[in-house]
Amino acid sequence: MGGMIVGSILKLSNVRKTVNYLKKNGITQAYYAARERMEEEKRDDYFYREPTEEALAAQRKETTDYPYVFSIVVPAYETGEEFLRAMIASVRNQSYVKWELIIADASNSEAVEQLVQQIAEETEDTRIKYVHLPENKGISGNTNAGIDLAEGDYIALLDHDDFITPDALYYMAVKIRESMQQNVMPALLYSDEDKFEQSTEEYVSPHEKQEFNLDLILSNNYICHFTAVEAKLMKKLKLREEYDGAQDYDLVLRVVDYLQEQACGEKTHIPCLPGKWQESIVHIPRVLYHWRCHADSTAENTASKAYAYEAGKAALASFCEKQGWNVNVGHSLHLGFYDIFYVPDILSVREDVGIVGGRILDRRGRICAGAYDEKGNCLFEGLSGHYSGGRTHRAVLKQECAAVDIRCMQLRTDLQAAFTQITGLPYQERTIRVKTKNGVQKERIADISGLVCDEAGYRKLSMELGRAVTDKGYRVLLNPMLTLKDSDRCEF
């Protein structure tokens, strides 16, 4: 399956998404969502290219002495022959050879079993293992049966109708070695991914993911595919059947909770401030997983498994309860994305958050200031305030960042002395009105009316305050719902 350039802009799946979005969020939101999607696809020139045979041979030679064994667990149920063959072939074609493929089959028919046995006999590949399950216990129960049989050092999850790149396990193995050389034992590894349009055989929608970001994962399961978890931890946690449809999201959240407890202690991990424990969640910035889009897949039709979004909401609520947070969890404007509403506010509930800030729009309604990365670049700069940031909707999600703008932020009490030291002003607050999907509400932000400087000066002070907050071990959090328009802010 060679790489192909994205096809036409108007796709049936996009029309379906727009109609569903219109019903859910109204005509204004649907208009901007459709316009943003059209603009994004006009710019989309993604092209996936498989590694050459020479590159794969070099990878195979390089990792000959690597000791790590991967157990790839696939829950199968009446899988079509084309999809099953492609999935198995993608595993057998790995340049990293130390793996086992465990297919846990809950089908009523014998078609899957017969095909797996045929492939195993033809290839004489003893790494392919098959188990027929006596009953269909759902995706979590079926996957757990495969996890029980796993003998590898890491257990990776693969859907029966998807497939992985030939170098997927190679990059996972390399990352494990690199991490362990830095005295970090990876607990969870994840990669970038794309989608494979079954009807056109095109690779589309690359998802270039962020490094681990706690609040981003609390907004959406951006980690998703391709994921591998250290075997002992996976066998300890397993998947929970009550969260079927979002079982992988629930797993990630429980890995996070487990790592917090190990680092900070079960009784004292609230608050568990950012620390070395986060390094155990490792991102591989390469597309290693192809999520197949077909008529019945969530990738093609997000409304086809609406129950999965309810399960995701429940998994997130379970995590928040475990943290001891007084919150309400709800769906955002976008399917599969969530909002956490803190009672009474984030800084009161989250002792790990030192500062929370929003975004500032210019006179044309575009983002001109707000959240900044480590280099002082404004995240989403120039993006329309009506837009969500593309298919990942990241511009409207709560997330950690390096700094937030001092003109639109709130600081926890024990850090306010740093504000005074940096700005020369006493920390005071003013009230603004913020429009949310539930109406207009009041928010309090720092009052910097006594501070006069140019845009570069505001950004410099914002970065200094962000560093002061993170140096004390706290998180800096972007809350995009907190938005100042031109009339509400200091002039540039």
Side-chain angles (χ1 to χ4, degrees), residues 28-268:
T28 300
Q29 293 287 351
Y31 166 75
Y32 284 112
R35 193 172 82 172
E36 182 178 16
R37 184 179 300 117
M38 292 285 287
E39 291 179 6
E40 182 179 37
E41 293 194 354
K42 286 179 181 178
R43 298 189 302 267
D44 200 343
D45 59 352
Y46 175 64
F47 189 94
Y48 170 73
R49 189 183 302 277
E50 287 191 352
T52 65
E53 288 301 323
E54 292 76 12
L56 295 174
Q59 293 172 2
R60 193 172 295 113
K61 181 178 180 181
E62 176 190 345
T63 56
T64 299
D65 296 329
Y66 281 28
Y68 324 114
V69 176
F70 292 92
S71 298
I72 301 177
V73 174
V74 179
Y77 183 79
E78 306 295 356
T79 312
E81 178 177 349
E82 177 186 1
F83 296 170
L84 187 61
R85 283 188 180 276
M87 181 274 293
I88 294 176
S90 76
V91 177
R92 292 198 64 251
N93 290 336
Q94 290 298 299
S95 60
Y96 187 82
V97 300
K98 295 178 181 178
W99 53 263
E100 61 176 0
L101 173 61
I102 302 171
I103 300 174
D105 180 25
S107 301
N108 295 318
S109 69
E110 298 179 353
V112 171
E113 180 176 8
Q114 291 175 352
L115 182 57
V116 173
Q117 289 178 345
Q118 176 188 340
I119 293 173
E121 291 173 0
E122 291 175 351
T123 62
E124 297 182 346
D125 198 332
T126 59
R127 296 171 298 178
I128 301 175
K129 301 179 180 180
Y130 172 89
V131 58
H132 182 78
L133 304 179
E135 59 178 318
N136 182 9
K137 292 186 176 182
I139 189 168
S140 294
N142 298 345
T143 302
N144 286 339
I147 291 173
D148 286 337
L149 298 175
E151 297 179 346
D153 301 294
Y154 282 84
I155 299 176
L157 302 179
L158 174 60
D159 289 347
H160 66 161
D161 52 355
D162 296 337
F163 53 106
I164 54 179
T165 67
D167 49 6
L169 296 183
Y170 163 78
Y171 281 107
M172 288 232 167
V174 167
K175 203 67 175 182
I176 293 171
R177 167 160 288 197
E178 289 177 353
S179 297
M180 294 184 70
Q181 288 174 343
Q182 298 172 4
N183 297 318
V184 174
M185 177 66 178
L188 182 151
L189 301 102
Y190 66 99
S191 75
D192 295 349
E193 63 187 278
D194 63 16
K195 295 179 180 178
F196 180 74
E197 290 278 5
Q198 180 67 23
S199 59
T200 60
E201 296 191 347
E202 295 171 341
Y203 293 95
V204 300
S205 304
H207 187 179
E208 298 176 357
K209 303 173 185 176
Q210 306 301 307
E211 298 302 307
F212 176 70
N213 186 309
L214 176 60
D215 282 272
L216 193 58
I217 198 66
L218 298 182
S219 299
N220 164 256
N221 182 20
Y222 75 92
I223 286 178
C224 206
H225 310 119
F226 183 40
T227 303
V229 178
E230 190 274 325
K232 290 181 181 179
L233 179 57
M234 178 72 93
K235 287 177 178 286
K236 175 183 176 66
L237 298 178
K238 290 191 175 179
L239 304 182
R240 298 198 289 187
E241 296 180 21
E242 59 266 39
Y243 299 101
D244 268 4
Q247 69 287 335
D248 50 350
Y249 188 30
D250 178 59
L251 174 64
V252 169
L253 294 173
R254 288 187 295 128
V255 168
V256 170
D257 183 71
Y258 174 84
L259 293 175
Q260 287 182 331
E261 289 187 355
Q262 293 300 300
C264 308
E266 184 173 359
K267 295 182 180 179
T268 61

Side-chain angles (χ1 to χ4, degrees), residues 294-327:
H294 55 89
D296 297 324
S297 70
T298 308
E300 174 69 18
N301 179 12
T302 54
S304 66
K305 294 184 179 179
Y307 75 93
Y309 307 119
E310 291 300 325
K313 176 185 171 184
L316 181 56
S318 175
F319 175 87
C320 292
E321 182 180 3
K322 183 75 185 297
Q323 304 306 299
W325 297 345
N326 185 10
V327 302

Side-chain angles (χ1 to χ4, degrees), residues 380-409:
F380 321 114
E381 187 167 15
L383 184 71
S384 167
H386 293 291
Y387 286 1
S388 69
R391 61 177 68 94
T392 64
H393 307 297
R394 187 178 165 221
V396 295
L397 302 179
K398 294 185 181 76
Q399 59 200 273
E400 294 176 67
C401 53
V404 289
D405 201 283
I406 60 172
R407 292 164 290 182
C408 186
M409 64 90 191

Side-chain angles (χ1 to χ4, degrees), residues 363 407 452-455 458 486-492:
R363 292 183 178 86
R407 292 164 290 182
V452 179
C453 56
D454 60 12
E455 174 62 16
Y458 286 125
D486 180 76
S487 58
D488 295 321
R489 65 173 175 82
C490 299
E491 295 295 335
F492 284 2

Side-chain angles (χ1 to χ4, degrees), residues 358-371:
R359 58 187 188 166
I360 301 175
L361 307 183
D362 64 17
R363 292 183 178 86
R364 296 177 61 184
R366 301 171 304 182
I367 296 174
C368 60

